[in-house]
Amino acid sequence: MRPVTATLINLYHICHRELWLHAHEVRMEFFSDAVQDGKLIHETSYPQRPENFREIMIAGSKIDFYDRKAKVVHEMKRGNKAKEAHVAQVKYYLWLLEQHGVPDATGILEYPRLCLKQVVKLEPNDYAAIATWEVNIRRILDGPCPPVINKPFCKQCSYYEFCYSGESTLETGS
Ligand code: SF4
């Protein structure tokens, strides 16, 4: 069975084609200004953080900043246009922590460029939603590469040229 990760949960809420491409190791982020800018934000925001928080791996998902003492997951993002996907990603981290013996953790979504923060908690109805996300993700990944979605935010996506050059001919999954 394919492993589902928090990154895949995020991409599932943005674009099923991007989810499929990322999971099948088709990577373009090295050529993306937006992705490189996001990395810069990670490296330069909150310079005191590395001393206080730890990077942890849990069931294949990497949490960049985890405050073990306070049981708080800090997730930093460049912009908040895909906030639903960001919230889903953090909820998945909280769910993973609970599955591995750390209940009642809290998430904080941080948007340093926007000076915004949002607290994220695992709610009772999230359990069924997460189970559905996992089933749907596995079904997408086992199928053919989904079609392009023609959304305005495609222009910000690292796969933009790949998707709209007219030359991408990926047909089969798994
Ligand atoms: S460019 Fe658009 S269709 Fe292609 S992977 Fe990115 S978001 Fe999806």
PDB file of all heavy atoms in Angstrom, residues 57-94:
ATOM      1  N   MET A  57      10.695  13.277  12.082  1.00  0.00           N
ATOM      2  CA  MET A  57      10.078  12.461  11.028  1.00  0.00           C
ATOM      3  C   MET A  57       9.090  11.533  11.705  1.00  0.00           C
ATOM      4  O   MET A  57       9.405  10.923  12.725  1.00  0.00           O
ATOM      5  CB  MET A  57      11.133  11.602  10.319  1.00  0.00           C
ATOM      6  CG  MET A  57      11.993  12.335   9.315  1.00  0.00           C
ATOM      7  SD  MET A  57      11.086  12.951   7.882  1.00  0.00           S
ATOM      8  CE  MET A  57      10.547  11.436   7.118  1.00  0.00           C
ATOM      9  N   ILE A  58       7.893  11.464  11.156  1.00  0.00           N
ATOM     10  CA  ILE A  58       6.885  10.585  11.746  1.00  0.00           C
ATOM     11  C   ILE A  58       6.120   9.910  10.611  1.00  0.00           C
ATOM     12  O   ILE A  58       5.470  10.583   9.807  1.00  0.00           O
ATOM     13  CB  ILE A  58       5.972  11.378  12.724  1.00  0.00           C
ATOM     14  CG1 ILE A  58       4.924  10.484  13.347  1.00  0.00           C
ATOM     15  CG2 ILE A  58       5.345  12.594  12.083  1.00  0.00           C
ATOM     16  CD1 ILE A  58       4.262  11.114  14.569  1.00  0.00           C
ATOM     17  N   ALA A  59       6.283   8.597  10.510  1.00  0.00           N
ATOM     18  CA  ALA A  59       5.615   7.791   9.468  1.00  0.00           C
ATOM     19  C   ALA A  59       5.823   8.375   8.076  1.00  0.00           C
ATOM     20  O   ALA A  59       4.883   8.468   7.275  1.00  0.00           O
ATOM     21  CB  ALA A  59       4.123   7.656   9.785  1.00  0.00           C
ATOM     22  N   GLY A  60       7.042   8.805   7.785  1.00  0.00           N
ATOM     23  CA  GLY A  60       7.358   9.314   6.449  1.00  0.00           C
ATOM     24  C   GLY A  60       7.057  10.782   6.233  1.00  0.00           C
ATOM     25  O   GLY A  60       7.346  11.324   5.176  1.00  0.00           O
ATOM     26  N   SER A  61       6.456  11.443   7.239  1.00  0.00           N
ATOM     27  CA  SER A  61       6.156  12.879   7.136  1.00  0.00           C
ATOM     28  C   SER A  61       7.136  13.663   7.994  1.00  0.00           C
ATOM     29  O   SER A  61       7.391  13.296   9.142  1.00  0.00           O
ATOM     30  CB  SER A  61       4.725  13.165   7.609  1.00  0.00           C
ATOM     31  OG  SER A  61       3.784  12.623   6.728  1.00  0.00           O
ATOM     32  N   LYS A  62       7.670  14.737   7.427  1.00  0.00           N
ATOM     33  CA  LYS A  62       8.649  15.545   8.161  1.00  0.00           C
ATOM     34  C   LYS A  62       7.986  16.802   8.706  1.00  0.00           C
ATOM     35  O   LYS A  62       7.407  17.570   7.949  1.00  0.00           O
ATOM     36  CB  LYS A  62       9.814  15.927   7.244  1.00  0.00           C
ATOM     37  CG  LYS A  62      10.896  16.738   7.939  1.00  0.00           C
ATOM     38  CD  LYS A  62      12.180  16.732   7.160  1.00  0.00           C
ATOM     39  CE  LYS A  62      12.129  17.610   5.920  1.00  0.00           C
ATOM     40  NZ  LYS A  62      12.224  19.056   6.226  1.00  0.00           N
ATOM     41  N   ILE A  63       8.071  16.962  10.026  1.00  0.00           N
ATOM     42  CA  ILE A  63       7.611  18.203  10.653  1.00  0.00           C
ATOM     43  C   ILE A  63       8.848  19.070  10.855  1.00  0.00           C
ATOM     44  O   ILE A  63       9.788  18.674  11.550  1.00  0.00           O
ATOM     45  CB  ILE A  63       6.918  17.927  12.007  1.00  0.00           C
ATOM     46  CG1 ILE A  63       5.702  17.012  11.809  1.00  0.00           C
ATOM     47  CG2 ILE A  63       6.505  19.244  12.670  1.00  0.00           C
ATOM     48  CD1 ILE A  63       5.000  16.603  13.100  1.00  0.00           C
ATOM     49  N   ASP A  64       8.869  20.243  10.243  1.00  0.00           N
ATOM     50  CA  ASP A  64      10.070  21.085  10.277  1.00  0.00           C
ATOM     51  C   ASP A  64      10.353  21.630  11.667  1.00  0.00           C
ATOM     52  O   ASP A  64      11.499  21.674  12.108  1.00  0.00           O
ATOM     53  CB  ASP A  64       9.927  22.256   9.291  1.00  0.00           C
ATOM     54  CG  ASP A  64       9.966  21.776   7.844  1.00  0.00           C
ATOM     55  OD1 ASP A  64      10.592  20.734   7.593  1.00  0.00           O
ATOM     56  OD2 ASP A  64       9.376  22.445   6.987  1.00  0.00           O
ATOM     57  N   PHE A  65       9.312  22.074  12.341  1.00  0.00           N
ATOM     58  CA  PHE A  65       9.513  22.689  13.657  1.00  0.00           C
ATOM     59  C   PHE A  65       8.498  22.119  14.642  1.00  0.00           C
ATOM     60  O   PHE A  65       7.301  22.425  14.555  1.00  0.00           O
ATOM     61  CB  PHE A  65       9.343  24.209  13.566  1.00  0.00           C
ATOM     62  CG  PHE A  65      10.319  24.863  12.629  1.00  0.00           C
ATOM     63  CD1 PHE A  65       9.893  25.402  11.437  1.00  0.00           C
ATOM     64  CD2 PHE A  65      11.668  24.932  12.942  1.00  0.00           C
ATOM     65  CE1 PHE A  65      10.778  26.009  10.564  1.00  0.00           C
ATOM     66  CE2 PHE A  65      12.569  25.527  12.076  1.00  0.00           C
ATOM     67  CZ  PHE A  65      12.129  26.063  10.889  1.00  0.00           C
ATOM     68  N   TYR A  66       8.978  21.321  15.576  1.00  0.00           N
ATOM     69  CA  TYR A  66       8.088  20.737  16.585  1.00  0.00           C
ATOM     70  C   TYR A  66       8.602  21.099  17.972  1.00  0.00           C
ATOM     71  O   TYR A  66       9.746  20.822  18.315  1.00  0.00           O
ATOM     72  CB  TYR A  66       8.024  19.215  16.426  1.00  0.00           C
ATOM     73  CG  TYR A  66       7.138  18.557  17.455  1.00  0.00           C
ATOM     74  CD1 TYR A  66       5.797  18.919  17.560  1.00  0.00           C
ATOM     75  CD2 TYR A  66       7.631  17.585  18.317  1.00  0.00           C
ATOM     76  CE1 TYR A  66       4.977  18.328  18.511  1.00  0.00           C
ATOM     77  CE2 TYR A  66       6.822  16.982  19.256  1.00  0.00           C
ATOM     78  CZ  TYR A  66       5.491  17.360  19.352  1.00  0.00           C
ATOM     79  OH  TYR A  66       4.675  16.785  20.293  1.00  0.00           O
ATOM     80  N   ASP A  67       7.727  21.726  18.731  1.00  0.00           N
ATOM     81  CA  ASP A  67       8.039  22.066  20.121  1.00  0.00           C
ATOM     82  C   ASP A  67       7.550  20.900  20.980  1.00  0.00           C
ATOM     83  O   ASP A  67       6.359  20.787  21.265  1.00  0.00           O
ATOM     84  CB  ASP A  67       7.316  23.366  20.492  1.00  0.00           C
ATOM     85  CG  ASP A  67       7.608  23.806  21.918  1.00  0.00           C
ATOM     86  OD1 ASP A  67       8.078  22.976  22.723  1.00  0.00           O
ATOM     87  OD2 ASP A  67       7.352  24.992  22.211  1.00  0.00           O
ATOM     88  N   ARG A  68       8.480  20.032  21.336  1.00  0.00           N
ATOM     89  CA  ARG A  68       8.122  18.804  22.034  1.00  0.00           C
ATOM     90  C   ARG A  68       7.508  19.078  23.402  1.00  0.00           C
ATOM     91  O   ARG A  68       6.569  18.414  23.823  1.00  0.00           O
ATOM     92  CB  ARG A  68       9.390  17.950  22.196  1.00  0.00           C
ATOM     93  CG  ARG A  68       9.110  16.492  22.411  1.00  0.00           C
ATOM     94  CD  ARG A  68      10.375  15.701  22.458  1.00  0.00           C
ATOM     95  NE  ARG A  68      11.200  15.901  21.275  1.00  0.00           N
ATOM     96  CZ  ARG A  68      12.165  15.074  20.904  1.00  0.00           C
ATOM     97  NH1 ARG A  68      12.430  14.013  21.617  1.00  0.00           N
ATOM     98  NH2 ARG A  68      12.875  15.321  19.833  1.00  0.00           N
ATOM     99  N   LYS A  69       8.055  20.077  24.095  1.00  0.00           N
ATOM    100  CA  LYS A  69       7.587  20.376  25.448  1.00  0.00           C
ATOM    101  C   LYS A  69       6.131  20.858  25.436  1.00  0.00           C
ATOM    102  O   LYS A  69       5.300  20.403  26.228  1.00  0.00           O
ATOM    103  CB  LYS A  69       8.486  21.464  26.051  1.00  0.00           C
ATOM    104  CG  LYS A  69       8.460  21.511  27.539  1.00  0.00           C
ATOM    105  CD  LYS A  69       9.571  22.434  28.013  1.00  0.00           C
ATOM    106  CE  LYS A  69       9.432  22.686  29.499  1.00  0.00           C
ATOM    107  NZ  LYS A  69      10.411  23.683  29.963  1.00  0.00           N
ATOM    108  N   ALA A  70       5.823  21.750  24.524  1.00  0.00           N
ATOM    109  CA  ALA A  70       4.463  22.316  24.457  1.00  0.00           C
ATOM    110  C   ALA A  70       3.540  21.508  23.551  1.00  0.00           C
ATOM    111  O   ALA A  70       2.351  21.782  23.480  1.00  0.00           O
ATOM    112  CB  ALA A  70       4.529  23.762  23.968  1.00  0.00           C
ATOM    113  N   LYS A  71       4.096  20.512  22.856  1.00  0.00           N
ATOM    114  CA  LYS A  71       3.352  19.699  21.886  1.00  0.00           C
ATOM    115  C   LYS A  71       2.688  20.591  20.816  1.00  0.00           C
ATOM    116  O   LYS A  71       1.486  20.547  20.600  1.00  0.00           O
ATOM    117  CB  LYS A  71       2.303  18.827  22.585  1.00  0.00           C
ATOM    118  CG  LYS A  71       2.913  17.784  23.513  1.00  0.00           C
ATOM    119  CD  LYS A  71       1.997  16.600  23.768  1.00  0.00           C
ATOM    120  CE  LYS A  71       0.720  16.958  24.444  1.00  0.00           C
ATOM    121  NZ  LYS A  71      -0.103  15.782  24.794  1.00  0.00           N
ATOM    122  N   VAL A  72       3.532  21.415  20.203  1.00  0.00           N
ATOM    123  CA  VAL A  72       3.028  22.327  19.172  1.00  0.00           C
ATOM    124  C   VAL A  72       3.813  22.115  17.871  1.00  0.00           C
ATOM    125  O   VAL A  72       5.047  22.126  17.870  1.00  0.00           O
ATOM    126  CB  VAL A  72       3.140  23.806  19.604  1.00  0.00           C
ATOM    127  CG1 VAL A  72       2.711  24.726  18.458  1.00  0.00           C
ATOM    128  CG2 VAL A  72       2.297  24.070  20.838  1.00  0.00           C
ATOM    129  N   VAL A  73       3.057  21.911  16.796  1.00  0.00           N
ATOM    130  CA  VAL A  73       3.628  21.822  15.447  1.00  0.00           C
ATOM    131  C   VAL A  73       3.572  23.217  14.835  1.00  0.00           C
ATOM    132  O   VAL A  73       2.503  23.837  14.787  1.00  0.00           O
ATOM    133  CB  VAL A  73       2.799  20.858  14.560  1.00  0.00           C
ATOM    134  CG1 VAL A  73       3.274  20.919  13.106  1.00  0.00           C
ATOM    135  CG2 VAL A  73       2.865  19.442  15.105  1.00  0.00           C
ATOM    136  N   HIS A  74       4.713  23.724  14.376  1.00  0.00           N
ATOM    137  CA  HIS A  74       4.758  25.024  13.694  1.00  0.00           C
ATOM    138  C   HIS A  74       4.981  24.768  12.211  1.00  0.00           C
ATOM    139  O   HIS A  74       5.961  24.133  11.831  1.00  0.00           O
ATOM    140  CB  HIS A  74       5.900  25.879  14.239  1.00  0.00           C
ATOM    141  CG  HIS A  74       5.718  26.278  15.666  1.00  0.00           C
ATOM    142  ND1 HIS A  74       5.222  27.504  16.040  1.00  0.00           N
ATOM    143  CD2 HIS A  74       5.953  25.593  16.813  1.00  0.00           C
ATOM    144  CE1 HIS A  74       5.161  27.568  17.355  1.00  0.00           C
ATOM    145  NE2 HIS A  74       5.612  26.426  17.854  1.00  0.00           N
ATOM    146  N   GLU A  75       4.068  25.236  11.396  1.00  0.00           N
ATOM    147  CA  GLU A  75       4.185  25.058   9.950  1.00  0.00           C
ATOM    148  C   GLU A  75       4.194  26.432   9.289  1.00  0.00           C
ATOM    149  O   GLU A  75       3.242  27.199   9.418  1.00  0.00           O
ATOM    150  CB  GLU A  75       3.017  24.211   9.426  1.00  0.00           C
ATOM    151  CG  GLU A  75       3.025  23.984   7.929  1.00  0.00           C
ATOM    152  CD  GLU A  75       4.219  23.177   7.424  1.00  0.00           C
ATOM    153  OE1 GLU A  75       4.800  22.399   8.211  1.00  0.00           O
ATOM    154  OE2 GLU A  75       4.573  23.349   6.254  1.00  0.00           O
ATOM    155  N   MET A  76       5.291  26.727   8.595  1.00  0.00           N
ATOM    156  CA  MET A  76       5.460  28.045   7.986  1.00  0.00           C
ATOM    157  C   MET A  76       5.144  28.001   6.490  1.00  0.00           C
ATOM    158  O   MET A  76       5.579  27.077   5.801  1.00  0.00           O
ATOM    159  CB  MET A  76       6.917  28.470   8.186  1.00  0.00           C
ATOM    160  CG  MET A  76       7.128  29.956   8.140  1.00  0.00           C
ATOM    161  SD  MET A  76       8.892  30.328   8.230  1.00  0.00           S
ATOM    162  CE  MET A  76       9.400  29.450   9.686  1.00  0.00           C
ATOM    163  N   LYS A  77       4.391  28.988   6.023  1.00  0.00           N
ATOM    164  CA  LYS A  77       4.031  29.043   4.611  1.00  0.00           C
ATOM    165  C   LYS A  77       4.299  30.437   4.057  1.00  0.00           C
ATOM    166  O   LYS A  77       4.295  31.425   4.772  1.00  0.00           O
ATOM    167  CB  LYS A  77       2.545  28.710   4.427  1.00  0.00           C
ATOM    168  CG  LYS A  77       2.156  27.299   4.853  1.00  0.00           C
ATOM    169  CD  LYS A  77       2.803  26.251   3.982  1.00  0.00           C
ATOM    170  CE  LYS A  77       2.296  24.855   4.325  1.00  0.00           C
ATOM    171  NZ  LYS A  77       3.073  23.808   3.634  1.00  0.00           N
ATOM    172  N   ARG A  78       4.473  30.475   2.746  1.00  0.00           N
ATOM    173  CA  ARG A  78       4.795  31.727   2.047  1.00  0.00           C
ATOM    174  C   ARG A  78       3.563  32.625   1.927  1.00  0.00           C
ATOM    175  O   ARG A  78       3.613  33.807   2.205  1.00  0.00           O
ATOM    176  CB  ARG A  78       5.332  31.348   0.673  1.00  0.00           C
ATOM    177  CG  ARG A  78       5.792  32.450  -0.217  1.00  0.00           C
ATOM    178  CD  ARG A  78       6.551  31.840  -1.373  1.00  0.00           C
ATOM    179  NE  ARG A  78       6.876  32.823  -2.375  1.00  0.00           N
ATOM    180  CZ  ARG A  78       6.219  32.998  -3.509  1.00  0.00           C
ATOM    181  NH1 ARG A  78       5.175  32.239  -3.784  1.00  0.00           N
ATOM    182  NH2 ARG A  78       6.597  33.903  -4.366  1.00  0.00           N
ATOM    183  N   GLY A  79       2.450  32.074   1.493  1.00  0.00           N
ATOM    184  CA  GLY A  79       1.206  32.840   1.337  1.00  0.00           C
ATOM    185  C   GLY A  79       0.037  31.996   1.790  1.00  0.00           C
ATOM    186  O   GLY A  79       0.175  30.787   1.969  1.00  0.00           O
ATOM    187  N   ASN A  80      -1.125  32.641   1.947  1.00  0.00           N
ATOM    188  CA  ASN A  80      -2.256  31.897   2.526  1.00  0.00           C
ATOM    189  C   ASN A  80      -3.376  31.607   1.524  1.00  0.00           C
ATOM    190  O   ASN A  80      -4.494  31.301   1.920  1.00  0.00           O
ATOM    191  CB  ASN A  80      -2.809  32.642   3.747  1.00  0.00           C
ATOM    192  CG  ASN A  80      -3.420  33.987   3.399  1.00  0.00           C
ATOM    193  OD1 ASN A  80      -3.282  34.451   2.264  1.00  0.00           O
ATOM    194  ND2 ASN A  80      -4.069  34.604   4.368  1.00  0.00           N
ATOM    195  N   LYS A  81      -3.057  31.668   0.235  1.00  0.00           N
ATOM    196  CA  LYS A  81      -4.113  31.413  -0.747  1.00  0.00           C
ATOM    197  C   LYS A  81      -4.577  29.955  -0.726  1.00  0.00           C
ATOM    198  O   LYS A  81      -5.714  29.660  -1.074  1.00  0.00           O
ATOM    199  CB  LYS A  81      -3.633  31.791  -2.141  1.00  0.00           C
ATOM    200  CG  LYS A  81      -3.600  33.299  -2.329  1.00  0.00           C
ATOM    201  CD  LYS A  81      -3.256  33.702  -3.732  1.00  0.00           C
ATOM    202  CE  LYS A  81      -3.245  35.211  -3.837  1.00  0.00           C
ATOM    203  NZ  LYS A  81      -2.488  35.704  -4.954  1.00  0.00           N
ATOM    204  N   ALA A  82      -3.682  29.062  -0.336  1.00  0.00           N
ATOM    205  CA  ALA A  82      -4.051  27.635  -0.262  1.00  0.00           C
ATOM    206  C   ALA A  82      -4.252  27.228   1.203  1.00  0.00           C
ATOM    207  O   ALA A  82      -3.838  26.149   1.620  1.00  0.00           O
ATOM    208  CB  ALA A  82      -2.985  26.776  -0.920  1.00  0.00           C
ATOM    209  N   LYS A  83      -4.913  28.097   1.953  1.00  0.00           N
ATOM    210  CA  LYS A  83      -5.012  27.856   3.402  1.00  0.00           C
ATOM    211  C   LYS A  83      -5.715  26.541   3.731  1.00  0.00           C
ATOM    212  O   LYS A  83      -5.331  25.861   4.676  1.00  0.00           O
ATOM    213  CB  LYS A  83      -5.722  29.029   4.081  1.00  0.00           C
ATOM    214  CG  LYS A  83      -5.564  28.996   5.583  1.00  0.00           C
ATOM    215  CD  LYS A  83      -5.743  30.344   6.206  1.00  0.00           C
ATOM    216  CE  LYS A  83      -7.190  30.675   6.350  1.00  0.00           C
ATOM    217  NZ  LYS A  83      -7.428  31.918   7.069  1.00  0.00           N
ATOM    218  N   GLU A  84      -6.712  26.183   2.951  1.00  0.00           N
ATOM    219  CA  GLU A  84      -7.416  24.915   3.223  1.00  0.00           C
ATOM    220  C   GLU A  84      -6.423  23.744   3.171  1.00  0.00           C
ATOM    221  O   GLU A  84      -6.465  22.836   4.007  1.00  0.00           O
ATOM    222  CB  GLU A  84      -8.526  24.699   2.191  1.00  0.00           C
ATOM    223  CG  GLU A  84      -9.340  23.456   2.443  1.00  0.00           C
ATOM    224  CD  GLU A  84     -10.215  23.062   1.243  1.00  0.00           C
ATOM    225  OE1 GLU A  84     -10.282  23.824   0.266  1.00  0.00           O
ATOM    226  OE2 GLU A  84     -10.802  21.984   1.303  1.00  0.00           O
ATOM    227  N   ALA A  85      -5.528  23.780   2.178  1.00  0.00           N
ATOM    228  CA  ALA A  85      -4.522  22.723   2.053  1.00  0.00           C
ATOM    229  C   ALA A  85      -3.538  22.765   3.219  1.00  0.00           C
ATOM    230  O   ALA A  85      -3.109  21.727   3.731  1.00  0.00           O
ATOM    231  CB  ALA A  85      -3.769  22.879   0.726  1.00  0.00           C
ATOM    232  N   HIS A  86      -3.182  23.959   3.650  1.00  0.00           N
ATOM    233  CA  HIS A  86      -2.250  24.102   4.768  1.00  0.00           C
ATOM    234  C   HIS A  86      -2.860  23.549   6.052  1.00  0.00           C
ATOM    235  O   HIS A  86      -2.191  22.845   6.815  1.00  0.00           O
ATOM    236  CB  HIS A  86      -1.881  25.584   4.984  1.00  0.00           C
ATOM    237  CG  HIS A  86      -1.278  26.243   3.783  1.00  0.00           C
ATOM    238  ND1 HIS A  86      -1.235  27.610   3.617  1.00  0.00           N
ATOM    239  CD2 HIS A  86      -0.686  25.710   2.679  1.00  0.00           C
ATOM    240  CE1 HIS A  86      -0.645  27.896   2.473  1.00  0.00           C
ATOM    241  NE2 HIS A  86      -0.307  26.772   1.885  1.00  0.00           N
ATOM    242  N   VAL A  87      -4.138  23.882   6.278  1.00  0.00           N
ATOM    243  CA  VAL A  87      -4.825  23.391   7.479  1.00  0.00           C
ATOM    244  C   VAL A  87      -4.894  21.861   7.441  1.00  0.00           C
ATOM    245  O   VAL A  87      -4.627  21.186   8.438  1.00  0.00           O
ATOM    246  CB  VAL A  87      -6.245  24.006   7.591  1.00  0.00           C
ATOM    247  CG1 VAL A  87      -7.066  23.299   8.666  1.00  0.00           C
ATOM    248  CG2 VAL A  87      -6.157  25.498   7.884  1.00  0.00           C
ATOM    249  N   ALA A  88      -5.228  21.306   6.276  1.00  0.00           N
ATOM    250  CA  ALA A  88      -5.313  19.844   6.142  1.00  0.00           C
ATOM    251  C   ALA A  88      -3.962  19.194   6.445  1.00  0.00           C
ATOM    252  O   ALA A  88      -3.894  18.165   7.133  1.00  0.00           O
ATOM    253  CB  ALA A  88      -5.774  19.479   4.729  1.00  0.00           C
ATOM    254  N   GLN A  89      -2.887  19.797   5.953  1.00  0.00           N
ATOM    255  CA  GLN A  89      -1.547  19.263   6.198  1.00  0.00           C
ATOM    256  C   GLN A  89      -1.245  19.243   7.693  1.00  0.00           C
ATOM    257  O   GLN A  89      -0.758  18.234   8.224  1.00  0.00           O
ATOM    258  CB  GLN A  89      -0.507  20.123   5.465  1.00  0.00           C
ATOM    259  CG  GLN A  89       0.924  19.683   5.703  1.00  0.00           C
ATOM    260  CD  GLN A  89       1.939  20.580   4.997  1.00  0.00           C
ATOM    261  OE1 GLN A  89       1.560  21.431   4.188  1.00  0.00           O
ATOM    262  NE2 GLN A  89       3.192  20.397   5.287  1.00  0.00           N
ATOM    263  N   VAL A  90      -1.555  20.337   8.377  1.00  0.00           N
ATOM    264  CA  VAL A  90      -1.250  20.409   9.816  1.00  0.00           C
ATOM    265  C   VAL A  90      -2.150  19.454  10.605  1.00  0.00           C
ATOM    266  O   VAL A  90      -1.692  18.793  11.535  1.00  0.00           O
ATOM    267  CB  VAL A  90      -1.388  21.868  10.322  1.00  0.00           C
ATOM    268  CG1 VAL A  90      -1.245  21.922  11.835  1.00  0.00           C
ATOM    269  CG2 VAL A  90      -0.336  22.746   9.660  1.00  0.00           C
ATOM    270  N   LYS A  91      -3.406  19.333  10.203  1.00  0.00           N
ATOM    271  CA  LYS A  91      -4.288  18.375  10.876  1.00  0.00           C
ATOM    272  C   LYS A  91      -3.727  16.959  10.719  1.00  0.00           C
ATOM    273  O   LYS A  91      -3.808  16.147  11.636  1.00  0.00           O
ATOM    274  CB  LYS A  91      -5.708  18.459  10.305  1.00  0.00           C
ATOM    275  CG  LYS A  91      -6.512  19.636  10.846  1.00  0.00           C
ATOM    276  CD  LYS A  91      -7.924  19.660  10.288  1.00  0.00           C
ATOM    277  CE  LYS A  91      -8.699  20.878  10.785  1.00  0.00           C
ATOM    278  NZ  LYS A  91      -9.307  20.698  12.075  1.00  0.00           N
ATOM    279  N   TYR A  92      -3.165  16.690   9.550  1.00  0.00           N
ATOM    280  CA  TYR A  92      -2.590  15.356   9.332  1.00  0.00           C
ATOM    281  C   TYR A  92      -1.384  15.136  10.258  1.00  0.00           C
ATOM    282  O   TYR A  92      -1.218  14.049  10.803  1.00  0.00           O
ATOM    283  CB  TYR A  92      -2.198  15.182   7.869  1.00  0.00           C
ATOM    284  CG  TYR A  92      -1.974  13.733   7.484  1.00  0.00           C
ATOM    285  CD1 TYR A  92      -3.043  12.849   7.410  1.00  0.00           C
ATOM    286  CD2 TYR A  92      -0.710  13.250   7.224  1.00  0.00           C
ATOM    287  CE1 TYR A  92      -2.847  11.519   7.080  1.00  0.00           C
ATOM    288  CE2 TYR A  92      -0.504  11.920   6.878  1.00  0.00           C
ATOM    289  CZ  TYR A  92      -1.579  11.059   6.808  1.00  0.00           C
ATOM    290  OH  TYR A  92      -1.371   9.739   6.484  1.00  0.00           O
ATOM    291  N   TYR A  93      -0.566  16.161  10.445  1.00  0.00           N
ATOM    292  CA  TYR A  93       0.535  16.045  11.412  1.00  0.00           C
ATOM    293  C   TYR A  93      -0.013  15.720  12.806  1.00  0.00           C
ATOM    294  O   TYR A  93       0.530  14.862  13.511  1.00  0.00           O
ATOM    295  CB  TYR A  93       1.310  17.364  11.500  1.00  0.00           C
ATOM    296  CG  TYR A  93       2.218  17.691  10.343  1.00  0.00           C
ATOM    297  CD1 TYR A  93       2.289  18.993   9.854  1.00  0.00           C
ATOM    298  CD2 TYR A  93       3.041  16.734   9.766  1.00  0.00           C
ATOM    299  CE1 TYR A  93       3.129  19.326   8.813  1.00  0.00           C
ATOM    300  CE2 TYR A  93       3.892  17.061   8.716  1.00  0.00           C
ATOM    301  CZ  TYR A  93       3.928  18.356   8.248  1.00  0.00           C
ATOM    302  OH  TYR A  93       4.764  18.675   7.223  1.00  0.00           O
ATOM    303  N   LEU A  94      -1.059  16.436  13.202  1.00  0.00           N
ATOM    304  CA  LEU A  94      -1.622  16.229  14.540  1.00  0.00           C
ATOM    305  C   LEU A  94      -2.195  14.822  14.669  1.00  0.00           C
ATOM    306  O   LEU A  94      -2.047  14.167  15.708  1.00  0.00           O
ATOM    307  CB  LEU A  94      -2.713  17.283  14.819  1.00  0.00           C
ATOM    308  CG  LEU A  94      -2.259  18.739  14.750  1.00  0.00           C
ATOM    309  CD1 LEU A  94      -3.434  19.674  15.033  1.00  0.00           C
ATOM    310  CD2 LEU A  94      -1.113  19.019  15.723  1.00  0.00           C
TER     311      LEU A  94
END
